[in-house]
Each structure stands twice: as structure tokens, then as C-alpha cells.
Amino acid sequence: FACKKASCCSSRVNKKIRLGEGKVADTVDVEDIGEKKAFCRCWKSEKWPYCDGTHGKHNKETGDNLGPLIVKKKE
Ligand code: FES
């Protein structure tokens, strides 16, 4: 697959999350995760740092294959 859109080839990955900060780092307490939580890795979620499914739109538009990190309790 070759990228067809110049807008998705910018060297900047984060285009919306807390742009005023020098580094976006988040801390989540394990106790607050519950049974399972999906964390965004596409930098496009409206519910950062959690995944809201926006990666699916990005993948469809660009041919990318991004997805969340899912943290869950052992079964
Ligand atoms: Fe970013 Fe799902 S919205 S990984």
C-alpha cells in the first residue's frame, strides 16, 4: 500500500491531543480500568487516552491498520 494523501504523510503524528504540551503522557490507575479498557494508539480519539473507535475511520480513509491497546484482567 502506498499513501495517497499528503495530509496523512506529515511527520507530526499527534494533530489534536493537548497540542500545547511538550509531551503528552497519561497515568491511569489499574484499579480504575475495571475488567477491560481500550487505549487509543491512533491519536485521534475524542475520549483520549481511551479508544472511541475513530481509528476505524482513519484506517478506511488511508488504508492504515491502526488499533487500540486493550488492557484486561486475566481470565
Ligand atoms: Fe485511536 Fe481507537 S480511536 S485507537
Side-chain angles (χ1 to χ4, degrees), residues 24-43:
V24 178
D26 299 283
T27 301
V28 176
D29 290 331
V30 171
E31 292 80 11
D32 295 339
I33 289 176
E35 292 296 313
K36 184 169 139 183
K37 211 62 158 174
F39 290 86
C40 178
R41 295 193 296 186
C42 76
W43 292 86

Side-chain angles (χ1 to χ4, degrees), residues 3-74:
C3 176
K4 297 175 190 135
K5 293 185 178 181
S7 62
C8 73
C9 296
S10 157
S11 58
R12 174 148 209 156
V13 173
N14 178 18
K15 295 177 179 171
K16 64 184 283 184
I17 310 289
R18 306 197 314 250
L19 298 179
E21 297 179 20
K23 175 174 70 177
V24 178
D26 299 283
T27 301
V28 176
D29 290 331
V30 171
E31 292 80 11
D32 295 339
I33 289 176
E35 292 296 313
K36 184 169 139 183
K37 211 62 158 174
F39 290 86
C40 178
R41 295 193 296 186
C42 76
W43 292 86
K44 296 175 185 299
S45 175
E46 295 293 335
K47 296 181 178 174
W48 183 268
Y50 304 108
C51 171
D52 69 354
T54 303
H55 62 267
K57 182 173 180 268
H58 166 82
N59 288 345
K60 197 170 181 181
E61 289 174 354
T62 64
D64 214 336
N65 62 350
L66 304 181
L69 165 69
I70 299 171
V71 178
K72 65 181 185 88
K73 283 188 174 174
K74 269 188 179 174

